[in-house]
Amino acid sequence: MKTKLAISGMHCASCAGIIERELGKVDGVEMASVNFASEKAYVTHNDSVAVDALASVVKKAGYAAEPMTHGDSSAHSHMHDHSVQHVTRKVIISSILSAPMLYFMLLDFLPWMPGNGILPYAGILSLLLTTPVQFIIARDFYKGMWSGLRMRTFNMDSLIAIGTSVAYFYSLVIYLVYAATNRSLIGIDGMMIEGLYFETASFLITFVLIGKLLEAKAKHKASSAIHKLMELQAKTARVVRDDKTIDVAIDQVVQGDIVVVRPGEKLPVDGIIMSGYSSIDESMISGESIPVEKRAGDKVIGSTLNKNGGFEYKVTAVGADTTLSRIIAFVEEAQGSKAPIQDFADKVSSWFVPAVLIVAVLTFIVWYFILGASFTAALMTFTAVVVIACPCALGLATPTALMVGAGLAAEQGILIKGGEPIEKAKRLTAVVFDKTGTLTKGEPRVTDIHAQDGYTKEGVMLVASSLERYSEHPLAEAILDRAKQDGIDNSPVENFSAHPGRGIRGTINDEIYQLGSPSYIRSIAKIDKSSLGAIEALETEGKTVVGLAKEGQYVGSIAVADMVKSTSKQAVRELRALGIETWMITGDNQRTARAVAASVGIKNVIAETKPEDKAAAVQEIQSKGNVVAMVGDGINDAPALASADLGIAMGSGTDVAMETGGIVIMRDDLRGVAQAIRLSKATTGKIYQNLFFALIYNVIGIPIAAGVFAGAGLVLKPEIAGLAMALSSVSVVTSSLLLKVTAPRTI
């Protein structure tokens, strides 16, 4: 089973790594994934593991955890808002307490400014102002460092706590020595006490908190897709109970209820229309702006918008089982998942902090013992190195890009279930399409009607539909639908009989008719060359032909075909433009398969394949060195979807296909396949870009902080290092948000 936990108290990717490691130690836990950006943990475990026990493990590691169930996403959003408010208060208080020290610094550099008389008091005031910032405002950093030490590791909190403590306690010692030596708590002779760096600790904490606030707000924007989806959910439903129509809260609707929907109202839950007719705006699910016509027997989706008709429908799914809830779950899982490249970032973060502490100590040793710098200068350089090297940007590089990419895809009717499908989609070299229901509509339609001289097309359809009314053949429905569409009434049939694999016969108005395959009709009636040529031409086009004979004479024929979707040809063209090879797999005969494939531009065809052999066919294509995606919509496609490197399911298909696919195209439009690949490429490219700049930032920042370029006048004070570190995290999140502008738009 899977458990989702809302985590609070994390400050960097190292925190996520600690929680992940501790959860992984629990007996019965198969997999634990903690996402720093979304502040959630996803744990796969057996039934013997209690959810409360998982939360307890997280708390022992020094963080807060709350189990999340369906509907808790909104609560988690409110919890996040509260956290933002909490950080905001800290920033305000810390800024107010730090502001006077900024004025002290300005007075020291600009003696002509008013207020010089306060300089002797700057030391004692700085101590009094910094102490609450250091030990109250920044207490979470100490708690985080202590938690890390208990787990025998270092994290961002360790770096901030060490850096600020060095500045604070060094200044405290200098101040106490000065006070004891001069027997004065203020500067003597109207001068400021030299060598104090209380403002460094205070400014550093303030800048880091400002960075965390900006980061939190940016992460909130990155996950906006989830909030938008949750806002779409209806709050009430109008149901029929005891012959009365009443309004009830959405959580009181149960499966089997009859819901009444009026024009302009939002559908509360999923169901099947019992009576009435309307057009429904399903753009929030499929991304398709054109309303879909619905009538009795059609499925409807909760949270879609009824346009101009009223109807009643029977509830088939509520709560977590509704389409919207499942979409939210898919998107959350995608945004909270890890791409394989994240493993690289996690490994770097795990050794980065200890490595930085070693570099900082070496920096102090070199400056103080070898280069002969003052103790104060060496210590401040040590602090600058510790502070600027926090690996927050590295930890945010992958998850924020995933959050934005998955959210963008969801807005366009494409569900990408995690980081792994995103990376695989980028590497695809071949896409295999199922034919029926994927490339084609999966609904046979009459395309051609041919009548011999002396007969009419209406007459052919009248007899054919009358006979097919008693048939169980898959093509019978197509012929009956066409007759209904043309307003043709059926005639009574007597002595009906079926000949499996060949055709049917019956008596209409005392005349015997036979309807069946061309070979069956040819065995009982003579067909002239012209008509035979027409039949063969239709079969070459991939159509199934049904012949009609009367009393041993050929009367005419009807061609039936599973129509190709209007977007299939364009979808194949777009995939070719991306350099991806296309294949079609089907159980149909070679002639029909190749005709359909040719009509959409596919050259590689695997025909006459049994459902159970589709997976083997996919594996054969993989054996040629291809990275393969399988696109399907039915239960029989599930094994092939699972066998492919990436399964892409059409949302118009079965639930089994949707659950098996790594990507789900919610609209019945194959162009979504190419769009999903384009979005995956854009998202993966953004991940690599973020990782590059996050690493480059540290590669450049650490030497500057260590004073390598001090000879050229390039130095970095600890408080400025803190600001730079905070802004690096914000820049990575902002870079990810740019995906909303630069990513390929909807099809």
Side-chain angles (χ1 to χ4, degrees):
M1 60 181 293
K2 287 186 176 181
T3 294
K4 181 167 63 176
L5 300 172
I7 308 293
S8 57
M10 291 192 296
H11 298 295
C12 65
S14 297
C15 299
I18 292 172
I19 298 171
E20 203 169 273
R21 187 170 69 245
E22 293 306 304
L23 286 171
K25 293 178 181 178
V26 178
D27 290 336
V29 171
E30 300 169 10
M31 187 276 293
S33 175
V34 180
N35 190 291
F36 170 46
S38 64
E39 299 178 317
K40 292 172 189 167
Y42 299 84
V43 187
T44 303
H45 56 90
N46 58 39
D47 294 339
S48 65
V49 180
V51 176
D52 289 342
L54 297 175
S56 177
V57 167
V58 176
K59 289 176 182 177
K60 286 181 180 177
Y63 306 90
E66 292 293 337
M68 296 180 68
T69 57
H70 172 70
D72 277 354
S73 294
S74 179
H76 181 60
S77 176
H78 291 310
M79 187 172 71
H80 179 271
D81 292 340
H82 176 74
S83 176
V84 170
Q85 293 171 4
H86 180 63
V87 176
T88 301
R89 284 195 296 270
K90 282 189 172 184
V91 167
I92 293 172
I93 296 172
S94 184
S95 298
I96 291 173
L97 293 175
S98 301
M101 286 180 278
L102 177 61
Y103 192 69
F104 298 158
M105 291 175 62
L106 292 174
L107 282 175
D108 194 32
F109 287 105
L110 304 172
W112 49 265
M113 290 179 62
N116 272 318
I118 201 172
L119 284 179
Y121 300 92
I124 183 66
L125 290 175
S126 295
L127 171 61
L128 295 175
L129 291 169
T130 301
T131 300
V133 174
Q134 184 73 42
F135 298 106
I136 299 177
I137 301 297
R139 66 180 180 275
D140 286 342
F141 295 123
Y142 284 105
K143 288 169 61 179
M145 181 181 71
W146 175 244
S147 297
L149 291 175
R150 284 171 51 217
M151 300 299 160
R152 298 178 182 178
T153 187
F154 291 98
N155 52 26
M156 172 190 163
D157 291 338
S158 305
L159 297 181
I160 300 300
I162 291 172
T164 58
S165 295
V166 165
Y168 178 85
F169 286 107
Y170 171 77
S171 300
L172 179 62
V173 170
I174 294 297
Y175 177 78
L176 293 176
V177 169
Y178 179 91
T181 302
N182 295 280
R183 296 184 179 181
S184 174
L185 295 177
I186 63 173
I188 59 175
D189 299 327
M191 302 295 292
M192 179 186 288
I193 300 175
E194 298 293 334
L196 302 183
Y197 292 92
F198 288 117
E199 74 279 358
T200 295
S202 187
F203 290 161
L204 204 160
I205 291 167
T206 302
F207 288 148
V208 170
L209 289 174
I210 290 173
K212 291 180 71 64
L213 178 61
L214 294 174
E215 178 187 304
K217 290 184 175 181
K219 285 195 292 184
H220 184 72
K221 289 182 180 178
S223 61
S224 61
I226 287 291
H227 302 294
K228 288 179 181 177
L229 287 171
M230 288 190 291
E231 288 171 1
L232 292 171
Q233 294 175 314
K235 302 296 186 291
T236 61
R238 185 176 293 108
V239 300
V240 179
R241 291 180 181 170
D242 299 325
D243 296 326
K244 294 181 180 179
T245 303
I246 59 173
D247 289 335
V248 299
I250 191 68
D251 56 1
Q252 294 179 2
V253 179
V254 297
Q255 195 167 334
D257 269 344
I258 301 298
V259 176
V260 179
V261 182
R262 297 170 183 170
E265 292 184 336
K266 186 178 290 185
L267 279 65
V269 290
D270 296 2
I272 296 177
I273 294 180
M274 305 298 291
S275 63
Y277 168 86
S278 184
S279 59
I280 296 178
D281 180 358
E282 295 185 342
S283 58
M284 49 76 64
I285 294 290
S286 66
E288 179 58 60
S289 60
I290 300 175
V292 182
E293 294 186 354
K294 300 283 186 177
R295 52 178 55 83
D298 288 343
K299 293 181 180 179
V300 290
I301 301 171
S303 300
T304 54
L305 184 64
N306 183 31
K307 298 295 284 186
N308 51 21
F311 58 88
E312 293 183 358
Y313 72 95
K314 185 177 182 180
V315 176
T316 57
V318 296
D321 296 326
T322 63
T323 300
L324 181 62
S325 293
R326 291 170 63 197
I327 289 174
I328 291 174
F330 284 150
V331 176
E332 278 191 321
E333 189 171 341
Q335 293 187 337
S337 67
K338 288 187 177 182
I341 189 64
Q342 179 69 34
D343 292 336
F344 166 75
D346 289 346
K347 288 178 182 177
V348 171
S349 294
S350 67
W351 59 258
F352 194 77
V353 174
V356 166
L357 290 174
I358 293 173
V359 170
V361 171
L362 290 175
T363 298
F364 176 84
I365 292 172
V366 169
W367 276 102
Y368 185 64
F369 292 103
I370 299 177
L371 298 179
S374 67
F375 181 81
T376 300
L379 198 62
M380 290 301 102
T381 305
F382 165 90
T383 303
V385 171
V386 167
V387 172
I388 200 170
C390 292
C392 282
L394 191 64
L396 289 167
T398 298
T400 53
L402 282 178
M403 288 169 70
V404 175
L408 268 176
E411 290 173 7
Q412 298 181 29
I414 301 168
L415 301 182
I416 303 179
K417 302 182 187 177
E420 191 170 351
I422 283 179
E423 282 208 32
K424 285 183 176 178
K426 177 185 179 295
R427 298 186 290 107
L428 290 176
T429 60
V431 173
V432 181
F433 291 99
D434 170 54
K435 180 182 82 70
T436 305
T438 303
L439 285 169
T440 66
K441 295 180 179 179
E443 301 172 355
R445 292 285 184 266
V446 172
T447 59
D448 303 88
I449 305 170
H450 176 260
Q452 279 290 86
D453 293 340
Y455 297 94
T456 65
K457 292 182 179 181
E458 291 76 11
V460 171
M461 282 302 301
L462 175 96
V463 174
S465 62
S466 298
L467 291 171
E468 290 287 24
R469 187 172 48 164
Y470 299 91
S471 172
E472 296 179 353
H473 194 276
L475 300 181
E477 186 175 350
I479 293 174
L480 290 169
D481 285 346
R482 178 59 181 269
K484 184 178 180 180
Q485 179 182 328
D486 293 346
I488 296 173
D489 294 326
N490 296 322
S491 297
V493 177
E494 298 177 347
N495 303 318
F496 176 85
S497 61
H499 304 273
R502 303 179 68 190
I504 56 178
R505 63 177 290 165
T507 302
I508 300 176
N509 296 328
D510 298 326
E511 292 179 315
I512 299 175
Y513 289 91
Q514 291 94 4
L515 183 72
S517 65
S519 59
Y520 171 57
I521 298 303
R522 288 181 66 181
S523 69
I524 57 176
K526 184 178 181 180
I527 306 178
D528 60 65
K529 289 185 177 180
S530 175
S531 298
L532 196 59
I535 291 173
E536 291 176 348
L538 291 170
E539 289 181 326
T540 301
E541 294 174 9
K543 298 174 181 178
T544 301
V545 180
V546 179
L548 177 66
K550 182 182 76 172
E551 303 288 355
Q553 293 183 342
Y554 175 67
V555 172
S557 60
I558 300 171
V560 178
D562 184 1
M563 303 300 292
V564 172
K565 292 177 181 177
S566 60
T567 58
S568 295
K569 188 172 184 178
Q570 177 65 24
V572 172
R573 187 183 300 122
E574 290 182 12
L575 288 171
R576 282 206 306 268
L578 290 170
I580 296 174
E581 192 176 81
T582 54
W583 292 68
M584 188 188 81
I585 188 169
T586 179
D588 281 350
N589 60 67
Q590 286 285 353
R591 175 184 288 181
T592 300
R594 294 201 173 276
V596 172
S599 70
V600 298
I602 294 177
K603 296 180 180 179
N604 305 300
V605 180
I606 302 174
E608 300 177 13
T609 304
K610 296 178 181 178
E612 59 270 24
D613 295 332
K614 285 185 178 181
V618 168
Q619 291 165 2
E620 177 65 23
I621 298 172
Q622 288 172 315
S623 68
K624 298 176 182 178
N626 288 305
V627 180
V628 179
M630 172 70 193
V631 185
D633 73 321
I635 293 175
N636 61 339
D637 296 323
L641 289 169
S643 296
D645 295 286
L646 175 63
I648 301 178
M650 301 304 293
S652 58
T654 63
D655 290 345
V656 174
M658 288 179 65
E659 292 294 339
T660 307
I663 294 177
V664 179
I665 311 298
M666 292 305 295
R667 66 173 72 183
D668 194 16
D669 187 338
L670 278 178
R671 290 176 297 176
V673 175
Q675 178 66 357
I677 294 172
R678 286 191 290 262
L679 283 172
S680 296
K681 286 178 179 288
T683 303
T684 306
K686 182 60 69 174
I687 290 173
Y688 288 136
Q689 177 184 318
N690 287 350
L691 287 173
F692 173 78
F693 284 110
L695 288 170
I696 285 296
Y697 167 82
N698 282 296
V699 168
I700 295 174
I702 291 175
I704 294 175
V708 173
F709 304 105
L714 187 60
V715 294
L716 199 62
K717 289 187 175 182
E719 61 268 30
I720 303 302
L723 179 61
M725 181 274 294
L727 292 178
S728 71
S729 298
V730 176
S731 67
V732 164
V733 180
T734 304
S735 171
S736 295
L737 287 171
L738 286 176
L739 263 177
K740 294 186 176 183
V741 178
T742 60
R745 304 315 299 170
T746 184
I747 48 182

